[in-house]
Amino acid sequence: MQRKCALGLGIFFLIIGVAGFFPNLLTLPTEKYDTYYVYRAGDIYSQGFGFLFGLFPTNLLHNLIHITVGLFGIAAAATGDGARFYNRSFAISYALIAIMGLLPITQSFFGTMPIFGNNVWLNALSSAIAGYFGFVSKWVIPNY
């Protein structure tokens, strides 16, 4: 199950990372929200800022991070220990990122990438899934 979780998260984040490079899948902020998102996103607005599927704020660096996290997940799925390490690291990292997305001063990850809005719940949910398989499932589901 460790390996399936790492592989699933890896594939998911690779797909959304690549999807962020397709202009047809991005929505630019409307004039009504321009000032709001420029303020919250800071410098990231000028670096390809948009909303993936109209919901998730993203930019170039954010897409590259998702692709990297996805590739690491796919590679980690090759071994059980690698998958466990990936799931645990992912859970801790993404829980911290979800918390940072709630704090006004860190919602743009210090002006580099957007982690506010719908990204908060996506990061929290992904962290919970990885945390379950990284920390809990070995006690609930024995590895055969």
Side-chain angles (χ1 to χ4, degrees):
M1 292 303 288
Q2 295 279 347
R3 294 173 65 191
K4 289 180 182 178
C5 177
L7 182 63
L9 287 171
I11 291 171
F12 176 74
F13 277 88
L14 180 62
I15 289 171
I16 63 172
V18 171
F21 287 106
F22 288 92
N24 292 341
L25 300 177
L26 291 176
T27 305
L28 296 176
T30 61
E31 289 181 26
K32 176 181 174 185
Y33 296 108
D34 271 349
T35 307
Y36 176 70
Y37 284 113
V38 168
Y39 168 73
R40 291 182 74 185
D43 294 335
I44 60 174
Y45 188 73
S46 62
Q47 300 170 2
F49 179 75
F51 292 90
L52 183 61
F53 307 123
L55 297 171
F56 304 101
T58 190
N59 70 352
L60 173 66
L61 180 61
H62 204 170
N63 295 333
L64 294 174
I65 296 289
H66 281 159
I67 289 170
T68 303
V69 167
L71 292 174
F72 279 144
I74 292 168
T79 65
D81 289 337
R84 183 176 302 112
F85 177 77
Y86 175 82
N87 290 335
R88 289 178 177 181
S89 301
F90 184 99
I92 293 168
S93 301
Y94 272 71
L96 291 173
I97 292 171
I99 292 168
M100 288 175 67
L102 296 172
L103 304 174
I105 195 166
T106 57
Q107 287 181 333
S108 68
F109 202 76
F110 308 107
T112 59
M113 65 181 181
I115 54 173
F116 54 84
N118 287 324
N119 283 340
V120 174
W121 68 261
L122 179 65
N123 292 336
L125 179 64
S126 301
S127 173
I129 292 169
Y132 173 77
F133 286 103
F135 293 105
V136 178
S137 72
K138 70 177 185 171
W139 302 109
V140 178
I141 303 169
N143 294 329
Y144 293 104

